[in-house]
Amino acid sequence: MTERLERTVFARLEAMGDVPLLWWKGEWWSVPRFLDRTRSCIETLERGGFGEGQRLAFMVPNSPLSLSLSLAAWSLGGSVAPLNPLGGGDLLLSTLKTLEPSLLVLPDSADQASLSASSGLPVALASLEGLLPPMTCRGGRRGAPSLAVTYSTSGTTGRPKIVPLSHANLLDNVGTALAFITALGPDETILNALPNFHAFGFGLCSVLPLVAGYRQIVLPSFLPVADALDALDAAQGTVVLAVPTMISLLCAAAARTGRAPKSLRTLLVGGDKVPLGLDEKARTHLGLPILEGYGLTECSPLVAVNRSYATRRLGTVGPVIPGYVYEVRDDEGRVLPEGSEGVLWLKGPSITEGYCDNPETTEQRFRDGWFDTGDVVRLDDGCLTLLDRATDLIIVGGFNVYPQEVESVLLQHPAVREVSVIGSPNATSGEVPKAFVVLQEGMDPPGERELLRFCRERLAHFKTPRKIAFVGELPRSPLGKVLRRVLRDEERRRAERGRG
């Protein structure tokens, strides 16, 4: 019988008995209480017509509901699609059109009228405590019963890029992570505060603890940080899985209050490059250094990690975890010797087979069984160092921002002739978008404030540029292609001069 997530999780939880499992809004939920809510979700979905191969989309924060919905959909042979509420209305509707789910679940505090009308979907408003109201699902798009979750991104052109992952993908990645990361023991309490539409948040903060039988501190939001500190204290949290921005904010809150959670044993950080100095800040204010890791949505997500404090190599993301075959290649696809800088290619059982309805991108990234990560790395003595993104992706506090999406908005302004957007170094969020704008001749030039306001009205907050520089021309290659790398290098030098 093929191994499935819900079978693995139910077997683990039922063997645990009547013990605490989820810390939610100041109290522990026992295993039986969580299982009762999950069985209720299964019954309600089944009565509503949800079945094998169908997709359940949800846009709810981390909660007992998000966990129960996932297990319920899997139990009925379906899959889940956690969605990003910060992505903007047009992107959300485009994603839903591509996914064709049978049902969309929103928090019972949401306004469903406009979304239901514009998407044509049945919408269920549910309590975050896991109470799902009666509903009727539509047929929707059916996929293989082996499909577990689909993640969506805006893609480099604004078209949703859908990443499907199977039960086998997730179970392989989670199982390998639990065996490989020796910093994790048999009895842990994990902070689940990363958004569940993020592969790091869903795969490692939600699924991994369920598979392992770990306790979870479930927070609908990491902010305000004081509440996260209080929850870690009250629930005796032992492991924080976070992006660097979260660690930075925890350090600042701990420094401000003069207290740090005494139960913490492990800080696992990924989703973005760890800024210089953050490790020392974590030591000073949280009493622990950082174990840095690296992953990609397409890989379910973990690829490499420093497995323990005894073996960690600061400045690297540690060794590639078992199960992957890896190569570092040059731009022509030639395999490079260890110590060389090149693009990381991977093979392994936790990697998706390709993107939904996107054969062009699938063909570009997946070749002869290999996956092109698009990341420039160096491998030294078995440890991986991330050097740069081969793509122009900007990561703001762990969230992906694609320059072309921001550029397309700025180009809608009548006074903008050309624009290029890069990531500008930022001490808090790692990077923030910065736009270099060439104005139309013969028009009244807009000020920076006007263009920023123009963007804020059309983009999610984290995608909106924080700075705009007006330039006479953009750097270009002999073929006329704008060279974002030149702009990034100049921006980094400018930032270094500012710190000097």
Side-chain angles (χ1 to χ4, degrees), residues 250-275:
L250 275 177
C251 288
R256 190 167 54 248
T257 60
R259 64 184 177 88
K262 295 181 176 59
S263 54
L264 276 184
R265 298 195 291 252
T266 306
L267 299 177
L268 281 166
V269 181
D272 196 2
K273 198 166 184 178
V274 174

Side-chain angles (χ1 to χ4, degrees), residues 4-17:
R4 291 179 59 86
L5 283 160
E6 80 279 0
R7 293 187 192 127
T8 302
V9 171
F10 284 141
R12 170 72 71 177
L13 297 186
E14 286 164 359
M16 289 169 62

